[in-house]
Amino acid sequence: MFYYLSGTVAHTAPYLAVIDCAGVGYACRTTSYTLSGLKKGEKGKLYTYLNVREDAMELYGFGTQEELNLFEQLIGVSGVGPKAALSILSASTPANLALSIITGDEKALTCAQGIGKKIAQRVILELKDKLAKGQADFGGGAASGGAPAVIPAGKLSEAGAALAVLGYSQGEINVALKGVDIDSLPLEEIIRQALKKMVKG
């Protein structure tokens, strides 16, 4: 229904941002990460997700499409609702969260308020499994015989998988990683540089 909201930041509070668009204030549930980039009285743009329940409609807003993509992936995990997803996203940057999921870093997820070990394990298991079934081999070449591709170990494959968690297609990922110094850069920097290239593109 809404793709994004662009207007003046009228009000902020924990997990909440109100964007004034032509005199109408839209209240968006959001993350600490997005709130850190908003300032009252200045222009703001949020990519939105409308959550419809029997008893309510709630609008969620995010500063980047990557964060919105992660939110949608998280609420697709059994037992993870919008509130838990906001908590997880508030504990880290989208790139670092995607990296934590791919590398199986439970501790990074349990740093989020209200997120225990079981939920963290479920998020990692379900999202990694989703990638294994839906993504091609980022290490070079698709799996043969139509079998699901297995993502191999290594920085290139982990960077590709983390970018896939953020919602990018295989083609976009291949272009973004081209020319990045995979061998000498740490994994976090590889992902950061690839994201910069995609934003510029």
Side-chain angles (χ1 to χ4, degrees):
M1 185 176 181
F2 300 106
Y3 185 73
Y4 66 79
L5 296 175
S6 181
T8 303
V9 180
H11 175 71
T12 61
Y15 294 105
L16 179 70
V18 178
I19 306 295
D20 185 323
C21 301
V24 179
Y26 292 89
C28 296
R29 302 290 176 190
T30 191
T31 65
S32 300
Y33 178 73
T34 286
L35 284 169
S36 68
L38 299 175
K39 192 171 180 181
K40 190 175 177 180
E42 295 187 358
K43 286 286 185 182
K45 181 178 180 179
L46 297 180
Y47 295 92
T48 57
Y49 177 90
L50 183 63
N51 186 50
V52 180
R53 305 196 318 255
E54 284 185 13
D55 56 344
M57 286 196 301
E58 288 183 313
L59 195 60
Y60 292 81
F62 305 93
T64 65
Q65 288 179 308
E66 291 87 5
E67 197 179 19
L68 171 60
N69 286 331
L70 259 178
F71 174 79
E72 290 177 332
Q73 298 234 37
L74 286 168
I75 61 174
V77 173
S78 55
V80 178
K83 187 177 178 181
L86 287 187
S87 180
I88 293 170
L89 287 164
S90 291
S92 180
T93 66
N96 286 340
L97 176 56
L99 186 59
S100 299
I101 291 168
I102 295 305
T103 56
D105 186 356
E106 289 176 23
K107 288 184 180 178
L109 294 180
T110 55
C111 284
Q113 187 177 0
I115 303 302
K117 190 174 180 180
K118 285 185 179 180
I119 290 291
Q121 288 175 336
R122 195 176 300 145
V123 166
I124 290 167
L125 177 67
E126 291 193 24
L127 292 187
K128 281 182 78 171
D129 184 56
K130 198 174 184 179
L131 279 177
K133 288 176 181 175
Q135 293 297 322
D137 182 344
F138 290 104
S144 60
V150 177
I151 299 173
K155 286 194 288 185
L156 179 63
S157 60
E158 287 188 341
L163 291 167
V165 168
L166 291 170
Y168 290 103
S169 69
Q170 185 191 341
E172 290 172 321
I173 291 167
N174 290 341
V175 171
L177 290 175
K178 199 171 183 180
V180 177
D181 189 354
I182 303 293
D183 294 328
S184 61
L185 291 174
L187 188 54
E188 293 88 345
E189 185 58 28
I190 293 169
I191 296 168
R192 205 168 285 119
Q193 288 198 15
L195 284 171
K196 280 182 183 178
K197 285 172 72 175
M198 281 191 270
V199 169
K200 287 178 183 177

